[in-house]
Amino acid sequence: MGNGLKQGRLVGWLTSRLTIPAFAAMTGALLSIFLFVVIVALEVVFRIRGTDAPVGFTVPFPVIVGMLIGTIAISSTACYLLARPLQGVFVRFTGYMMSSRGDVDADLHSLQFPELRRLRVATTRTVRKLRRENDHLRKIAYRDSRTGLPNALAAEKRIIETLPGASFERPAAFILLDIDRFAHLVEQVGAGHGDMMIHAAAQRISKALSDVPDPSASALRGSMLAALTADQFTLFMPNAGSREHVIAIARAIRNAFNDPFTILGRPVTMSLSGGIVMAPEDADSPQKLMQNAKLALRLVRNESQSGFRFFTPRLTRIVQGRYRFEAELRDAVENREFKAVFQPKIDFATGRIVGAEALARWRRSNGKLISPAAFIPVAEEAGLIEEIGKQILEAACEAARTWELEGHDVTVAVNVSPSQFQRNDLTETVMGALRRSGLHPRLLELEITESMAVSDPARVAEFISPLRAMGTKLAIDDFGTGHSNLATLTQLPFDVFKIDRQFVSALETDRQAPAIVEMILAMAETLGLKTVAEGVETTKQADFLRRRGCTMAQGFLYSPGLPDQAFLELLRAWKPLGANDETGNPDAYQVPRR
């Protein structure tokens, strides 16, 4: 068994190092030696047994050796020459298998042996099938199935191939296109039809590019429009030429979306925004092109929500500052640096403090107070607003429980952000805060904006029903700024309308503002709801609201937002002596000055 393994290893070693003709020549030589030895042996045996002649050769020994060498040479050469065509066959087969061309098998028709011809046929069919599958996979790998456009891989490949040719004299341009408010549009047409909208948008963009007139059309030579994941497209123009051409093309794309789309027989209005990067001025790789285009697009979203913008190095500094601010915001959430302050609500009929709105304030570790207008948009974008809202809700419930224990019947109102409103566990979160603080549910009021309420009335009912059964109230915030109508509002389970501060502040300067406020108050009275006027700052505003039947007022005329302990002191000191004062002067309420 050991000898067999050694022989097998020897044969394997030889076949791995010798070509087919060389192996055939060696085999022929060995075979000729074997046959020569057999013939000589038979001759010797015949002499001994047949003629009893002594062992010997009539031919001289050198001649015998020469004959052996000649036989070896002839047989090995013959085997080598006969094996060369077979070697050529395998070489051609190998070339056929390794080639990506489809006509290489033309060289295989001259095969002589039937077995090889059958092998040719089987190999040709198999390779052609594999090539078809490979072509299909390549098409899938570089095409977007929704639009038929090249995908991100194809765009990156094109950029890598052509970007090195860009120069400051002949720059390239890259535009990242994003559909505005795509998630909202998908909700409008139905969740299963988002791909249909993407396909329609791709066709509209392609049509706009094909209609770009000269000389701007020259910038599209060699360009590639590609579809990315979700709702984004890219347009790479290796021969952009100038910013003026790029601006004209961006304008043509944006104008193409002026007309509404028809999706499932319904008109749908879409618009595009874009971030534009010039190369090599602002980027020298596909990664930097995409990164800088995203920065430009992000600034569009932050400033105007829609439009096109060129990337500039200044944007990097702005975004880096924003990233640092976001990191500080995350640390602040983790360290619970957000505190609730409470702005009182004054009942016009009794002059008492009957409620308070909990407002989020961020006081950094260095004592600096950050405006909500600065941190709330960033918190919403970073996904931190939910945690901030949860902390304010907890603080508000704990403070209101303290007021309740001191005998003050004061309701606390907490704002619910749009992202909180979309969470399925919002009801459980509110119940948990009530349970941990011990606050009675009737002393908690939740505020949602008018646009949130109207956009999904069913969600409002689902969210508030269990809480409302316990006594919790629901207020519609910033009323008058949305697009509500009476029919919609009658279906919503609200208890309070909050009149937006823009109408209150305009009472003394805008002739239409009093009529709008009176209309809101009349609507609330019709529906049997209480009203709160926000942003009351003058006695004239307060007098107008009280005479028109507004239920409560809130604003700097009475008090700014106060920390929980200061608000408790305000409750203790408040003496509503002027509840029925005809002048409506809040000084008669003896508000402690702060």
Side-chain angles (χ1 to χ4, degrees):
M1 182 175 178
N3 292 335
L5 288 174
K6 290 180 180 179
Q7 292 174 358
R9 289 175 181 172
L10 177 61
V11 174
W13 182 84
L14 289 173
T15 54
S16 65
R17 285 165 173 77
L18 297 177
T19 63
I20 292 176
F23 184 77
M26 187 185 70
T27 303
L30 292 175
L31 183 60
S32 64
I33 293 172
F34 175 75
L35 292 176
F36 193 88
V37 171
V38 169
I39 293 172
V40 171
L42 289 175
E43 175 63 21
V44 171
V45 172
F46 179 76
R47 277 178 175 274
I48 294 174
R49 292 188 177 182
T51 61
D52 293 328
V55 177
F57 297 97
T58 58
V59 180
F61 184 75
V63 176
I64 294 175
V65 173
M67 293 172 61
L68 175 60
I69 293 173
T71 303
I72 293 173
I74 293 171
S75 61
S76 61
T77 301
C79 290
Y80 181 86
L81 294 175
L82 291 173
R84 285 293 299 275
L86 183 61
Q87 182 190 33
V89 169
F90 283 109
V91 169
R92 280 183 284 168
F93 265 119
T94 303
Y96 174 72
M97 297 292 288
M98 297 295 291
S99 175
S100 60
R101 290 167 33 225
D103 58 347
V104 181
D105 58 325
D107 295 334
L108 301 180
H109 290 290
S110 60
L111 299 180
Q112 303 298 323
F113 300 103
E115 293 84 358
L116 292 179
R117 287 196 293 270
R118 287 195 292 271
L119 177 62
R120 175 185 65 80
V121 172
T123 303
T124 301
R125 290 176 178 174
T126 302
V127 171
R128 284 177 176 170
K129 179 181 178 182
L130 291 174
R131 282 179 180 156
R132 285 194 300 269
E133 293 177 353
N134 188 50
D135 291 341
H136 179 65
L137 291 175
R138 186 181 292 110
K139 182 178 180 180
I140 293 176
Y142 290 99
R143 286 284 165 182
D144 178 71
S145 59
R146 303 165 302 169
T147 62
L149 294 174
N151 61 10
L153 289 176
E156 183 177 8
K157 184 172 181 289
R158 174 66 66 84
I159 293 172
I160 292 174
E161 292 172 351
T162 58
L163 187 59
S167 64
F168 286 95
E169 293 75 22
R170 299 185 60 82
F174 179 85
I175 305 179
L176 176 63
L177 301 167
D178 185 69
I179 300 177
D180 301 330
R181 302 171 63 249
F182 183 70
H184 176 74
L185 295 174
V186 170
E187 292 178 359
Q188 181 180 341
V189 301
H193 304 294
D195 288 352
M196 188 180 301
M197 297 175 62
I198 294 293
H199 180 73
Q203 288 185 321
R204 188 73 65 89
I205 297 172
S206 299
K207 178 67 166 54
L209 295 177
S210 65
D211 293 342
V212 172
D214 290 328
S216 299
S218 62
L220 294 171
R221 181 166 46 85
S223 65
M224 174 180 281
L225 175 66
L228 306 186
T229 56
D231 58 337
Q232 293 186 330
F233 301 88
T234 62
L235 175 62
F236 178 65
M237 296 173 284
N239 301 292
S242 68
R243 286 178 177 255
E244 289 71 21
H245 292 338
V246 177
I247 292 172
I249 291 170
R251 185 179 295 115
I253 294 173
R254 186 165 174 80
N255 291 341
F257 281 68
N258 289 339
D259 296 330
F261 292 74
T262 301
I263 307 295
L264 300 176
R266 298 174 54 186
V268 177
T269 301
M270 282 193 279
S271 60
L272 280 178
S273 294
I276 308 172
V277 182
M278 301 299 293
E281 179 181 349
D282 297 317
D284 56 4
S285 69
Q287 293 74 24
K288 287 186 178 179
L289 283 173
M290 179 61 74
Q291 176 183 334
N292 292 343
K294 285 182 177 179
L295 292 180
L297 182 60
R298 183 173 182 177
L299 197 62
V300 169
R301 296 289 187 224
N302 292 339
E303 292 183 348
S304 60
Q305 297 298 317
S306 182
F308 282 72
R309 188 183 185 108
F310 279 92
F311 170 84
T312 62
R314 185 179 67 88
L315 296 184
T316 302
R317 295 191 295 272
I318 293 174
V319 173
Q320 287 175 348
R322 190 177 181 89
Y323 284 152
R324 286 194 296 270
F325 186 76
E326 183 177 316
E328 294 173 357
L329 196 62
R330 292 184 184 278
D331 292 339
V333 171
E334 185 176 350
N335 298 331
R336 302 185 72 86
E337 294 179 7
F338 292 93
K339 306 299 180 183
V341 297
F342 303 92
Q343 188 171 38
K345 299 177 184 178
I346 311 302
D347 188 301
F348 275 122
T350 65
R352 297 181 181 276
I353 298 176
V354 293
E357 181 179 1
L359 305 170
R361 294 292 183 267
W362 178 17
R363 186 174 295 279
R364 304 170 81 167
S365 56
N366 59 7
K368 183 178 180 181
L369 191 65
I370 307 299
S371 168
F375 71 77
I376 287 180
V378 179
E380 289 177 341
E381 187 174 340
L384 299 173
I385 195 66
E386 297 173 18
E387 183 58 34
I388 295 174
K390 189 181 298 184
Q391 292 180 14
I392 298 303
L393 174 64
E394 296 277 356
C397 290
E398 291 172 2
R401 176 57 176 165
T402 301
W403 310 335
E404 183 184 14
L405 292 175
E406 286 215 4
H408 301 288
D409 190 16
V410 177
T411 300
V412 65
V414 180
N415 288 281
V416 177
S417 69
S419 56
Q420 284 180 293
F421 181 69
Q422 295 300 326
R423 289 186 62 88
N424 294 328
D425 62 349
L426 176 58
T427 303
E428 290 75 12
T429 299
V430 175
M431 288 183 173
L434 290 170
R435 184 170 55 253
R436 285 186 292 273
S437 64
L439 179 68
H440 195 286
R442 70 176 180 81
L443 296 177
L444 176 64
E445 181 179 293
L446 299 173
E447 297 182 2
I448 66 174
T449 63
E450 178 184 0
S451 57
M452 288 165 52
V454 176
S455 65
D456 194 352
R459 170 65 180 148
V460 174
E462 177 187 359
F463 146 64
I464 197 61
S465 293
L467 298 170
R468 193 176 175 83
M470 299 167 57
T472 301
K473 300 177 180 64
L474 186 63
I476 182 167
D477 197 14
D478 300 335
F479 184 75
T481 61
H483 306 283
S484 301
N485 56 60
L486 187 60
T488 303
L489 291 175
T490 55
Q491 301 173 10
L492 300 175
F494 286 107
D495 302 282
V496 180
F497 275 176
K498 296 196 72 177
I499 304 173
D500 188 71
R501 65 180 63 249
Q502 68 177 344
F503 300 119
V504 176
S505 62
L507 284 175
E508 299 176 46
T509 58
D510 188 344
R511 288 181 298 178
Q512 295 182 349
I516 295 174
V517 171
E518 288 180 354
M519 180 185 66
I520 294 174
L521 293 173
M523 183 183 297
E525 183 180 1
T526 301
L527 297 174
L529 304 179
K530 295 181 179 180
T531 50
V532 177
E534 295 182 295
V536 179
E537 298 182 354
T538 67
T539 56
K540 288 184 178 180
Q541 293 170 354
D543 180 56
F544 175 87
L545 293 164
R546 183 182 62 80
R547 293 179 184 277
R548 296 305 188 276
C550 185
T551 312
M552 291 167 277
Q554 171 187 345
F556 283 110
L557 177 64
Y558 307 101
S559 173
L562 301 174
D564 53 354
Q565 190 60 37
F567 185 82
L568 181 59
E569 293 175 6
L570 177 66
L571 286 176
R572 291 169 178 168
W574 188 268
K575 296 178 181 179
L577 299 180
N580 297 315
D581 181 52
E582 289 299 322
T583 66
N585 187 352
D587 290 339
Y589 298 160
Q590 297 185 358
V591 182
R593 297 301 180 191
R594 298 189 179 275

